[in-house]
């Protein structure tokens, strides 16, 4: 079937009434069944979805995002049976984690089933599976009766979208449909855990943090060890980056902040500040935004603030350092990646 490479018009469908929700499900399912790629809400970040069993449809995700072929895509399911269809093994640990955290912001990596095309797994023998909790994508997956391959709905190396507008800014005109399911409730990407090794290995921190995981898994290894094969390209240093230079600092008060800003090279006269405990006055800064001192609320707001700073043409964003506790680990990880390079 011939498909246009670009869509001069991207339909944006709301979902805030039952009738609108149903109409949007119907449209998304039609397009997905026809091998198209559409942007759908999830509770973590918005996803750019295609039929996970259709290699050609998935290849279009890579084209649209400008995504490197070595970066595998997470497969989204809406039942334990569907998860089972995507893998060759469903170990007791997968069952325990699924019982504890699904539907939700956890991706488990397992040996992939033959039905999953190479392009989804970037040629690897494992596949990442997640059962998202957002009701919209759940209903679409059930109606399609196939799993959805979906990376975050942004251009490669840009900040993940947490609302439909963020998606439209990056992908408007490139896809036929964006479904508006409201603000993503979690706000950062899912936790990724590799279950092909013992003990399980945390590949990407997320709001389901290591303490919560370990309550279920017991032991858990974290990150890639020395000399180990890089299993998660999401662990590459530079990722989730805003256009502006981003630095993370701790300051005692406004004078201290000003002194530290003056040290940053090259000098930027009016940086944007994102603070959560030591809030400076706005004098001397392009903007000061305050995000709540609560890990969950902070995660929900963070990407929106970075998108906003990009929109304002920010050159420098100074973010107040988060606390060093497991609840804040994923946030610290995303800030570190955004500030790399
Ligand atoms: O919250 C999320 O996970 C969102 C929403 C849309 O579900 N998706 C997302 O996808 O963040 P993406 O493509 O931006 O991140 C996928 C990352 C890969 O970069 C890699 O780090 C990890 O998930 N991943 C996926 N499949 C893997 C596999 N087979 N082995 C190891 N890591 C894998
Ligand atoms: Mg992504």
């Amino acid at each position: 079937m011939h498909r246009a490479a670009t869509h001069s018009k991207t339909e944006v469908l709301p979902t805030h009434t039952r009738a609108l929700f149903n109409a949007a499900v119907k449209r998304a399912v039609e397009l997905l069944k026809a091998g198209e790629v559409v942007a759908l809400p999830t509770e973590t970040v918005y996803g750019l979805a295609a039929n996970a069993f259709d290699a050609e449809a998935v290849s279009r995700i890579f084209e649209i995002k400008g995504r490197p072929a070595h970066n595998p895509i997470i497969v989204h399911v809406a039942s334990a049976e569907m998860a089972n269809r995507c893998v060759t093994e469903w170990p007791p640990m997968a069952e325990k984690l699924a019982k504890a955290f699904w539907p939700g912001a956890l991706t488990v990596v397992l040996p992939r089933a033959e039905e999953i095309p190479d392009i989804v797994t970037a040629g690897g023998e494992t596949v990442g599976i997640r059962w998202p909790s957002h009701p919209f994508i759940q209903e679409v997956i059930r109606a399609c009766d196939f799993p959805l391959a979906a990376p975050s709905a942004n251009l490669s190396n840009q900040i993940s979208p947490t609302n439909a507008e963020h998606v439209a800014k990056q992908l408007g005109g490139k896809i036929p449909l964006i479904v508006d399911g409201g603000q993503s409730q979690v706000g950062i990407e899912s936790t990724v855990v590799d279950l092909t090794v013992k003990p399980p290995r945390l590949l990407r921190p997320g709001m389901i943090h290591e303490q919560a995981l370990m309550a279920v898994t017991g032991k858990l290894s974290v990150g890639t060890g020395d000399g180990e094969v890089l299993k998660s390209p999401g662990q590459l240093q530079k990722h989730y980056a805003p256009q502006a230079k981003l630095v993370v600092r701790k300051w005692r008060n406004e004078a201290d902040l000003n002194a530290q800003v003056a040290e940053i090279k090259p000098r930027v006269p009016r940086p944007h500040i994102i603070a959560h405990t030591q809030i400076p006055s706005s004098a001397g800064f392009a903007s000061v935004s305050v995000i709540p001192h609560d890990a969950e609320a902070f995660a929900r707001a963070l990407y929106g603030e970075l998108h906003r700073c990009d929109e304002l043409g920010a050159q420098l964003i100074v973010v107040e350092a988060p606390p060093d506790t497991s609840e804040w680990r994923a946030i610290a990880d995303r800030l570190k990646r955004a500030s790399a390079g």
Side-chain angles (χ1 to χ4, degrees):
M1 185 187 18
H2 173 78
R3 268 177 244 120
T6 57
H7 296 265
S8 50
K9 214 164 167 216
T10 299
E11 208 180 349
V12 180
L13 293 180
T15 57
H16 56 275
T17 68
R18 186 70 227 185
L20 291 170
F21 185 101
N22 290 350
V25 168
K26 187 161 171 272
R27 183 74 185 128
V29 171
E30 261 167 26
L31 288 165
L32 288 162
K33 285 189 170 168
E36 292 279 358
V37 171
V38 302
L40 304 179
T42 92
E43 75 280 18
T44 56
V45 299
Y46 275 62
L48 188 61
N51 179 353
F53 294 147
D54 179 345
E56 200 196 321
V58 175
S59 76
R60 303 207 52 244
I61 294 179
F62 283 85
E63 261 170 54
I64 292 163
K65 283 189 59 122
R67 185 181 179 92
H70 63 257
N71 197 353
I73 297 188
I74 295 170
V75 172
H76 298 72
V77 299
S79 68
E81 295 75 62
M82 202 183 260
N84 258 282
R85 245 174 97 190
C86 301
V87 300
T88 54
E89 262 175 63
W90 186 251
M93 188 59 82
E95 186 64 23
K96 283 210 273 186
L97 285 169
K99 278 223 166 77
F101 300 113
W102 277 2
L106 176 69
T107 297
V108 295
V109 171
L110 287 164
R112 64 143 168 184
E114 252 174 56
E115 223 182 332
I116 301 288
D118 277 353
I119 189 161
V120 172
T121 68
E125 286 313 309
T126 61
V127 60
I129 313 274
R130 180 165 102 81
W131 179 351
S133 69
H134 197 292
F136 188 85
I137 192 166
Q138 287 191 357
E139 201 146 319
V140 169
I141 296 168
R142 277 191 219 105
C144 285
D145 201 29
F146 50 71
L148 296 179
S152 50
N154 51 278
L155 298 171
S156 203
N157 284 322
Q158 309 248 332
I159 309 157
S160 295
T162 54
N163 63 38
E165 249 177 65
H166 296 157
V167 180
K169 291 221 173 80
Q170 294 194 32
L171 301 181
K174 293 185 157 198
I175 51 177
L177 174 67
I178 298 169
V179 175
D180 185 349
Q183 166 70 32
S184 292
Q185 285 303 296
V186 177
I188 64 175
E189 305 82 355
S190 62
T191 305
V192 181
V193 178
D194 184 357
L195 298 184
T196 66
V197 292
K198 275 189 185 144
R201 181 180 290 276
L202 180 64
L203 296 179
R204 179 173 75 180
M207 293 310 284
I208 294 175
H209 54 73
E210 70 233 35
Q211 298 299 329
L213 289 170
M214 283 189 292
V216 176
T217 61
K219 279 193 192 140
L220 180 78
S221 67
V222 174
T224 50
D226 276 343
E228 216 174 56
V229 185
L230 190 66
K231 279 200 129 182
S232 173
Q235 297 181 320
L236 296 172
Q237 271 295 305
K238 177 96 178 174
H239 208 67
Y240 317 115
Q243 304 294 308
K245 179 184 171 74
L246 183 146
V247 300
V248 178
R249 292 287 186 277
K250 212 169 218 116
W251 55 86
R252 290 185 306 278
N253 50 43
E254 188 158 348
D256 183 26
L257 170 61
N258 278 310
Q260 292 192 44
V261 165
E263 295 288 302
I264 297 170
K265 302 283 177 313
R267 283 210 61 187
V268 172
R270 289 166 61 80
H272 292 253
I273 308 296
I274 299 178
H276 55 93
T277 56
Q278 293 296 321
I279 319 299
S281 68
S282 38
F285 304 117
S287 76
V288 173
S289 52
V290 181
I291 54 185
H293 186 70
D294 156 328
E296 277 169 15
F298 190 105
R300 205 172 293 138
L302 176 62
Y303 287 168
E305 286 307 314
L306 298 182
H307 279 290
R308 192 185 55 78
C309 289
D310 271 352
E311 288 251 298
L312 294 172
Q315 284 174 275
L316 175 64
I317 307 170
V318 184
V319 184
E320 187 179 356
D324 185 22
T325 62
S326 46
E327 285 77 12
W328 289 81
R329 201 79 71 216
I331 293 163
D333 168 78
R334 300 308 188 275
L335 289 173
K336 187 167 152 236
R337 290 170 201 282
S339 62

